Amino acid sequence: MSQVKKPPMATRNYRPETRLVHGGTLRSDFGETSEALFLTQGFVYESAEQCEARFKGEESGFLYSRFSNPTVAMFERRMIELEGAEAARSTATGMAAVTTAILAPLKAGDHVVAAKALFGSCRYVVEDLLPRYGIESTLVDGLDLDQWQKAMRPNTKTCFLESPTNPTLDVLDIGAIAGIAHKGGARLVVDNVFATPIWQSPLTLGADVVVYSATKHIDGQGRCLGGVILSSEQFINDHIHTFLRQTGPSMSPFNAWVLLKGLETLAIRVKQQTDTAALVAEALAGHPKISRLIYPGRADHPQAALVKKQMRAGSTLVGFEVKGGKAAAFRTLNALKLSRISNNLGDAKSLVTHPATTTHQRLTPEARAELGIGEGFIRFSAGLEHADDVIADLTDALAQA
Ligand SMILES: Cc1ncc(COP(=O)(O)O)c(C=O)c1O
């Protein structure tokens, strides 16, 4: 890029922790230590000829922050370095990333296969939105490879899943599902929010596209929304760049700057939160007020062998079903003094969610039951507090369930 004297810092030879601190840094002539915040809508040109050359793509450089901005470019480059992708584009929210990754490459007459166990808004996009534009979709039990296989049609262009799933923390076989998608001529898009880039790398497992809600662990301190799509140069150029440029769900430079600073501490936060989640799972397993506990780092997780194969560690989230349904779950939530009631996750503050009345309230009770989201189910997202305080808070609250 002509305005930046040095190319963005390439960090592929370093370990992920190092990439998170240095990857993609574009240092200006002032030699600033911290990444600069280019809070500007647009850019000015030396001459009309230069402006024309930029628009024709004959000269590289920034044009307009709806689709190119140095701070946003640094965030994208750092994510590329971390994920091992060829290219990335960021978006205003995680849902803008999911919607764009799925919708942008498709046209009427195409078909999508997706796992049933999806965050409520992702399921809305696949189940309700796509068919309105002539794109059919089939929802399958993501754990059942036969169902993926049987759902494939000659016009299937995209398969979509999240793993671990929100909120029941099922772990889907990304390599096997990528194999089925590719055999049928389709691409696999993976929402990697629950695993985080620290514990799972879908592109190396065979996926073609990875999406994140950067709102979650990447910010990790509850400040701003954001999303990112990572894939091959060709996929981004052919399907994503023009869609985002012309339709405009862009990430603001300010949010990109916050997220860049979030990335610097991502690894230490996720490791600490995972340790706490594991301790919470250990403390709550077998608790008399709980009928079911699910944590991907435990040997009793239904897909424990797959967790070992495709993830580098468990998760920052724990799911558990309180005996006594909604009333008991609400009593537990209302009795908590430290963990806060929220529909968010991945924050420095421990958060608890009642999916049946929040993130998954759109689904019918039957659809929720099919996914294992009972009326007593609680999703716990570990924060950065001391694990002993968090566990004491949860066990005190459960005593009142
Ligand atoms: C798995 C998953 N995907 C996507 C999203 C959407 O992200 P955002 O809230 O940033 O739009 C969320 C949460 O909101 C989520 O949990």
Side-chain angles (χ1 to χ4, degrees):
M1 284 151 197
S2 62
Q3 300 99 323
V4 175
K5 302 286 183 292
K6 288 190 198 129
M9 190 158 165
T11 53
R12 292 275 167 106
N13 292 336
Y14 295 107
R15 289 166 182 79
E17 291 81 353
T18 311
R19 294 182 206 174
L20 283 164
V21 178
H22 293 286
T25 301
L26 293 168
R27 197 159 271 131
S28 83
D29 284 349
F30 292 115
E32 63 279 358
T33 311
S34 175
E35 296 76 1
L37 168 50
F38 290 92
L39 199 55
T40 178
Q41 296 167 345
F43 302 86
V44 294
Y45 311 95
E46 295 298 326
S47 64
E49 287 77 11
Q50 186 188 41
C51 182
E52 182 186 28
R54 289 266 180 92
F55 268 80
K56 280 186 169 165
E58 292 165 2
E59 179 187 299
S60 65
F62 297 101
L63 291 162
Y64 190 57
S65 290
R66 181 172 357 98
F67 50 91
S68 63
N69 172 281
T71 310
V72 177
M74 279 192 261
F75 170 69
E76 290 167 351
R77 195 71 232 173
R78 193 163 292 177
M79 286 302 304
I80 288 170
E81 295 281 319
L82 176 64
E83 199 72 38
E86 284 177 13
R89 284 293 181 279
S90 47
T91 53
T93 65
M95 279 321 302
V98 170
T99 307
T100 303
I102 295 177
L103 189 63
L106 302 182
K107 57 178 183 344
D110 289 343
H111 175 241
V112 171
V113 183
K116 270 182 205 151
L118 293 177
F119 167 56
S121 301
C122 297
R123 189 151 157 172
Y124 163 80
V125 169
V126 172
E127 204 175 14
D128 295 32
L129 187 72
L130 295 183
R132 281 173 31 200
Y133 297 94
I135 301 160
E136 288 185 11
S137 58
T138 307
L139 292 173
V140 298
D141 173 353
L143 293 169
D144 185 342
L145 295 178
D146 269 358
Q147 286 198 25
W148 285 99
Q149 187 62 64
K150 286 196 185 112
M152 296 297 291
R153 299 184 195 161
N155 58 340
T156 306
K157 295 283 163 51
T158 297
C159 295
F160 177 60
L161 63 86
E162 56 187 54
S163 181
T165 59
N166 180 3
T168 50
L169 307 176
D170 290 330
V171 173
L172 276 52
D173 192 333
I174 293 174
I177 298 163
I180 293 169
H182 295 163
K183 214 172 99 208
R187 69 183 70 86
L188 176 63
V189 180
V190 173
D191 180 337
N192 206 36
V193 163
F194 270 49
T196 81
I198 304 301
W199 296 147
Q200 183 168 267
S201 306
L203 297 178
T204 62
L205 296 167
D208 304 280
V209 184
V210 182
V211 288
Y212 288 102
S213 163
T215 315
K216 312 297 187 249
H217 303 84
I218 291 175
D219 173 18
Q221 288 154 83
R223 298 163 296 189
C224 67
L225 297 139
V228 60
I229 305 166
L230 297 123
S231 185
S232 64
E233 199 90 52
Q234 190 179 351
F235 179 80
I236 298 288
N237 289 343
D238 288 357
H239 301 297
I240 303 300
H241 178 76
T242 305
F243 184 93
L244 290 177
R245 175 175 175 155
Q246 310 297 0
T247 63
S250 352
M251 175 177 281
S252 100
F254 182 78
N255 287 5
W257 182 81
V258 172
L259 296 168
L260 269 166
K261 304 316 284 178
L263 282 175
E264 286 184 341
T265 57
L266 180 69
I268 49 173
R269 285 186 287 106
V270 167
K271 282 176 196 163
Q272 177 70 40
Q273 289 166 320
T274 303
D275 289 350
T276 298
L279 290 169
V280 164
E282 195 58 37
L284 298 191
H287 191 287
K289 298 278 178 79
I290 287 177
S291 58
R292 181 166 73 106
L293 177 131
I294 180 136
Y295 180 63
R298 282 174 62 84
D300 61 4
H301 186 278
Q303 295 90 42
L306 185 57
V307 173
K308 273 217 165 80
K309 198 175 102 187
Q310 75 179 24
M311 297 181 73
R312 292 180 280 278
S315 169
T316 65
L317 294 124
V318 181
F320 55 93
E321 182 94 31
V322 181
K323 289 178 190 167
K326 180 178 165 184
F330 272 29
R331 275 198 299 277
T332 308
L333 296 185
N334 291 337
L336 287 164
K337 294 197 174 71
L338 192 56
S339 293
R340 307 313 305 160
I341 302 167
S342 173
N343 45 301
N344 209 2
L345 62 102
D347 198 276
K349 295 175 175 63
S350 288
L351 301 175
V352 279
T353 305
H354 185 248
T357 53
T358 58
T359 51
H360 292 71
Q361 55 86 22
R362 247 195 82 249
L363 301 185
T364 61
E366 296 73 35
R368 280 198 297 271
E370 198 184 10
L371 296 174
I373 306 170
E375 293 292 308
F377 193 86
I378 291 175
R379 184 186 79 190
F380 168 78
S381 167
L384 293 172
E385 306 92 343
H386 196 289
D388 293 350
D389 291 334
V390 172
I391 291 167
D393 187 40
L394 284 165
T395 48
D396 285 354
L398 276 168
Q400 297 177 48

